[in-house]
Amino acid sequence: MIEANKQIKKDLVNQGLSQGKVFSVSEYIQLLNVVLKKCQAKIIGEVSQVKISRPGHIYFSLKDKNESGLIECVIWRYNYGLCGVELKEGLEVIVFGNPDIYAPWGKFQFKAETVEVAGKGKLKEEYEKLKKKLTEQGFFSKERKRLIPSCPKKIGVITSSRGAVIHDFNSNLKKFGFEVKLIDSLVEGQQAVKDLLLSIRLFRKQDIDVLVIMRGGGSLESLLGFNNEILVREVVNFPVPVIAGIGHDKDVSLVALAADVMVSTPTAAANILNQSWERVCLNINRHSKALIYTYSQWLLKINSEIKHSFYKMSSRLEIIFRKYRKIEGKLKISLSKIKFTISEQRTFLNDNGRLIIKLFSRLLSQTNKNIAKSWNKSLEPKFLSSFKAILLCIATVEKGINYNNPGRQLRLGYCIARGGGKIIKSVKSVKLEQEIDLQVNDGMIKSKVKNINKNKKNG
Amino acid sequence: MANENLNDNLKRLSEISNWFDSQEEIDVEEGLKKVKQAAELIKASKKRLNEVENKFEEIKKDIEGEIGDSEINQN
């Protein structure tokens, strides 16, 4: 559609002017606008008669300070918002755009795409003012900064596709399989704002891990696009972390201050992306070495413990075997002695057995004879006499026992007196009125002590 | 998305290292299992970390299409 319109306009200019065509007013204005579009320029002047229309577009006049030139200007609300400049009476600005005739009114005006404050001092003042404002709103605070994800793979890059920046960045990215998506953008001056903003918004729709915004170093004027409030807000609210690789002379750009990581060269930006990959490489090697070392140490320790146990067991077994061998030796000696003795005895018996048996039989027979002989002659009278003496002794003992039997004494009229469970043998053992038991031959008599008389002889 | 597998591998390797550090008594069999797991993780990680060419792609933008046309109309 846009291309088709351009072609129609081109034809209009070529055909109309060469063939002496009669134009309608609208056609002629359209033709003029095609030509005027080519008169794109930067104009410096002092602002006057600032008016804001209902939709928010800004109409103002730009005039020379010391000369009489004046041009009516307009800047659309959107572009004005991007500029971050407040147009005021007397402010010296540089506008960039092209002239245009507004057909319904036939009004000639300069359509400004960008407005920037003119003069270094004023620029610096605007920069400091915005920096202060955004600082107060916490846009640059450390707490807000996000960490770059470990091992990022999908990288979004916004920079100029021409020049050394993208070349340095690409050549310093190590071969970790990065997938880099580049959006070519203007990076110079106020005109860059729109392009940068569009690029950032486009990357919002892309699947990326990190966004990198880069440009080479420059003056405050050339970095003007990076000191824009809307751009700062876009960076702060970007869904993934942002790395700013924006060179600077004295004043760090506000976009860089707002980014999660700020470096000043494309090489440094590439290194930031390489860092976590390199760290992972190092960590994996470190873990690998540490695990091998630890497990080897384990095995060495276990091996040493096994060896120690083996030596311990060996030494214990050696003691046991030594004792066993000693006992075995002794047993062997004893057995050989026994064997020798048996062998000797066997030989002796073989040699003298019959003679011994003969002698032994003779000795046994002789002994029998001697016993029989001794008994008949002398032992019999002695035995009989001893036997009679024993019988007499037994009769005497029996007689004595019968005489001293207590039952016999009771039958003769004696009695046994008991008091307190004991036999009363003395008057000292009883008290007056004490009950005592008298055992007689055929029973027991209960009595009471009425009188105690001691024998004089005993007293 | 960052490379999750690689980070996961590193995390698991770190856990295995910590396991070894925390053991008071040596369990050679369990240790061997852990070493085997670690070897697999290291192998997979090194494979990923081997030189892989970077890819570059340029995304074209349509300025007039992206920035609202409505704002170009006057009044």
Side-chain angles (χ1 to χ4, degrees):
Chain A
M1 185 67 182
I2 293 162
E3 289 301 316
N5 281 339
K6 280 180 183 172
Q7 190 57 44
I8 291 166
K9 286 171 185 173
K10 203 174 174 183
D11 292 347
L12 202 67
V13 173
N14 292 337
Q15 292 168 18
L17 291 177
S18 60
Q19 294 170 11
K21 184 189 170 185
V22 178
F23 295 96
S24 70
V25 176
S26 300
E27 279 175 341
Y28 188 64
I29 289 172
Q30 202 174 3
L31 186 145
L32 285 176
N33 279 343
V34 170
V35 178
L36 288 172
K37 181 109 183 176
K38 290 175 185 170
C39 300
Q40 209 170 45
K42 277 187 177 181
I43 305 171
I44 187 164
E46 203 178 274
V47 175
S48 66
Q49 296 175 334
V50 182
K51 288 175 195 165
I52 304 171
S53 72
R54 202 174 293 165
H57 307 312
I58 312 294
Y59 296 87
F60 60 98
S61 301
L62 205 61
K63 62 178 183 178
D64 289 327
K65 253 185 176 179
N66 303 316
E67 296 169 46
S68 57
L70 183 142
I71 191 167
E72 296 288 337
C73 302
V74 62
I75 183 164
W76 309 137
R77 184 186 61 186
Y78 179 79
N79 289 338
Y80 181 63
L82 291 180
C83 292
V85 176
E86 193 188 347
L87 289 173
K88 285 187 286 192
E89 296 276 335
L91 181 70
E92 192 176 20
V93 294
I94 299 170
V95 292
F96 171 77
N98 58 275
D100 180 84
I101 297 169
Y102 183 53
W105 298 348
K107 185 184 174 188
F108 179 85
Q109 59 187 4
F110 187 83
K111 266 184 10 183
E113 284 182 32
T114 64
V115 178
E116 60 190 87
V117 177
K120 279 188 181 177
K122 195 71 188 169
L123 265 183
K124 174 78 175 161
E125 194 184 303
E126 289 292 319
Y127 165 85
E128 291 297 346
K129 201 171 134 189
L130 185 57
K131 187 178 173 185
K132 186 169 179 267
K133 177 187 165 188
L134 296 175
T135 304
E136 282 168 1
Q137 289 179 9
F139 282 96
F140 310 140
S141 68
K142 281 183 184 173
E143 293 74 31
R144 201 199 49 75
K145 306 281 181 196
R146 293 165 292 184
L147 290 174
I148 303 299
S150 180
C151 300
K153 193 178 170 191
K154 296 167 185 170
I155 316 298
V157 175
I158 298 174
T159 191
S160 167
S161 63
R162 293 165 293 282
V165 170
I166 189 66
H167 177 264
D168 284 355
F169 177 76
N170 287 347
S171 58
N172 280 290
L173 266 188
K174 292 194 176 169
K175 292 178 179 176
F176 290 120
F178 288 112
E179 292 171 14
V180 180
K181 290 178 180 174
L182 168 72
I183 295 182
D184 180 26
S185 171
L186 292 175
V187 290
E188 185 71 20
Q190 187 70 298
Q191 293 93 315
V193 174
K194 203 187 227 181
D195 221 18
L196 289 168
L197 192 59
L198 178 65
S199 305
I200 291 175
R201 287 181 180 171
L202 199 53
F203 265 131
R204 272 185 170 269
K205 298 170 190 168
Q206 297 286 322
D207 175 24
I208 55 171
D209 299 326
V210 181
L211 176 65
V212 185
I213 302 172
M214 295 182 291
R215 71 148 278 163
S219 64
L220 200 58
E221 292 95 319
S222 65
L223 286 170
L224 205 57
F226 293 89
N227 292 326
N228 182 281
E229 184 176 347
I230 294 175
L231 215 53
V232 166
R233 289 181 189 277
E234 283 290 327
V235 166
V236 168
N237 295 315
F238 197 73
V240 297
V242 178
I243 298 172
I246 302 167
H248 57 88
D249 184 15
K250 281 182 182 173
D251 303 305
V252 180
S253 69
L254 300 182
V255 164
L257 288 174
D260 297 289
V261 176
M262 175 181 72
V263 288
S264 56
T265 64
T267 305
N271 286 339
I272 294 284
L273 296 171
N274 292 333
Q275 253 174 22
S276 60
W277 289 88
E278 288 168 334
R279 201 166 44 238
V280 167
C281 282
L282 278 174
N283 279 340
I284 283 171
N285 285 336
R286 187 173 58 82
H287 280 305
S288 173
K289 282 178 187 167
L291 284 171
I292 290 168
Y293 176 77
T294 308
Y295 195 63
S296 303
Q297 289 300 308
W298 275 29
L299 292 178
L300 284 174
K301 199 175 172 191
I302 289 288
N303 193 29
S304 147
E305 280 175 10
I306 290 169
K307 273 185 183 172
H308 180 70
S309 303
F310 178 75
Y311 289 136
K312 212 170 171 181
M313 274 168 58
S314 297
S315 62
R316 293 270 165 85
L317 282 171
E318 185 55 35
I319 292 166
I320 293 167
F321 285 143
R322 212 178 294 149
K323 281 185 181 172
Y324 171 78
R325 280 195 292 271
K326 208 171 171 181
I327 292 165
E328 190 186 23
K330 281 183 181 175
L331 271 171
K332 276 181 183 171
I333 292 166
S334 301
L335 281 171
S336 67
K337 273 184 183 173
I338 291 166
K339 197 176 171 186
F340 178 74
T341 309
I342 289 170
S343 164
E344 245 186 354
Q345 293 301 317
R346 186 179 288 157
T347 311
F348 177 76
L349 284 171
N350 282 344
D351 295 348
N352 305 303
R354 286 183 183 173
L355 185 63
I356 291 164
I357 292 165
K358 206 173 176 181
L359 282 171
F360 188 73
S361 301
R362 197 181 288 168
L363 184 65
L364 195 65
S365 159
Q366 188 63 45
T367 307
N368 281 340
K369 280 178 187 171
N370 284 344
I371 291 167
K373 206 172 171 180
S374 302
W375 176 261
N376 289 336
K377 285 181 179 175
S378 60
L379 290 177
E380 194 173 11
K382 283 181 184 173
F383 179 77
L384 289 171
S385 143
S386 297
F387 187 69
K388 278 178 185 173
I390 288 163
L391 286 174
L392 189 64
C393 190
I394 290 167
T396 309
V397 169
E398 187 185 10
K399 212 171 181 179
I401 289 167
N402 283 333
Y403 186 79
N404 290 310
N405 182 4
R408 178 178 168 272
Q409 300 301 327
L410 291 174
R411 278 194 300 274
L412 288 174
Y414 292 100
C415 67
I416 299 168
R418 288 187 178 83
K422 291 180 179 175
I423 292 171
I424 301 165
K425 291 179 183 176
S426 166
V427 290
K428 291 176 186 172
S429 305
V430 292
K431 293 174 188 171
L432 285 173
E433 297 299 325
Q434 181 184 343
E435 287 190 343
I436 56 172
D437 297 323
L438 297 174
Q439 186 183 353
V440 292
N441 183 39
D442 54 351
M444 193 70 79
I445 301 163
K446 291 272 181 191
S447 312
K448 195 179 261 183
V449 179
K450 291 292 181 186
N451 197 11
I452 301 169
N453 295 319
K454 287 183 184 173
N455 289 341
K456 283 178 183 173
K457 191 182 172 181
N458 294 336
Chain B
M1 291 292 282
N3 196 320
E4 283 176 2
N5 286 344
L6 201 56
N7 289 319
D8 281 353
N9 287 357
L10 193 61
K11 194 180 163 194
R12 285 170 66 194
L13 272 174
S14 183
E15 283 167 2
I16 291 172
S17 285
N18 290 340
W19 182 86
F20 272 102
D21 292 342
S22 66
Q23 296 306 298
E24 286 176 6
E25 284 185 16
I26 292 174
D27 183 342
V28 181
E29 290 300 319
E30 196 57 30
L32 185 60
K33 277 185 200 169
K34 298 278 181 191
V35 167
K36 279 181 180 172
Q37 283 173 16
E40 288 294 320
L41 293 169
I42 291 166
K43 192 179 162 188
S45 303
K46 285 197 168 173
K47 194 178 169 188
R48 173 63 189 91
L49 288 167
N50 274 344
E51 224 171 67
V52 180
E53 290 293 336
N54 298 328
K55 290 178 191 167
F56 296 95
E57 176 196 349
E58 188 171 342
I59 299 173
K60 298 285 179 191
K61 61 183 183 297
D62 180 352
I63 296 177
E64 289 180 61
E66 287 294 332
I67 302 294
D69 285 340
S70 62
E71 287 177 305
I72 296 172
N73 298 324
Q74 200 166 20
N75 295 320

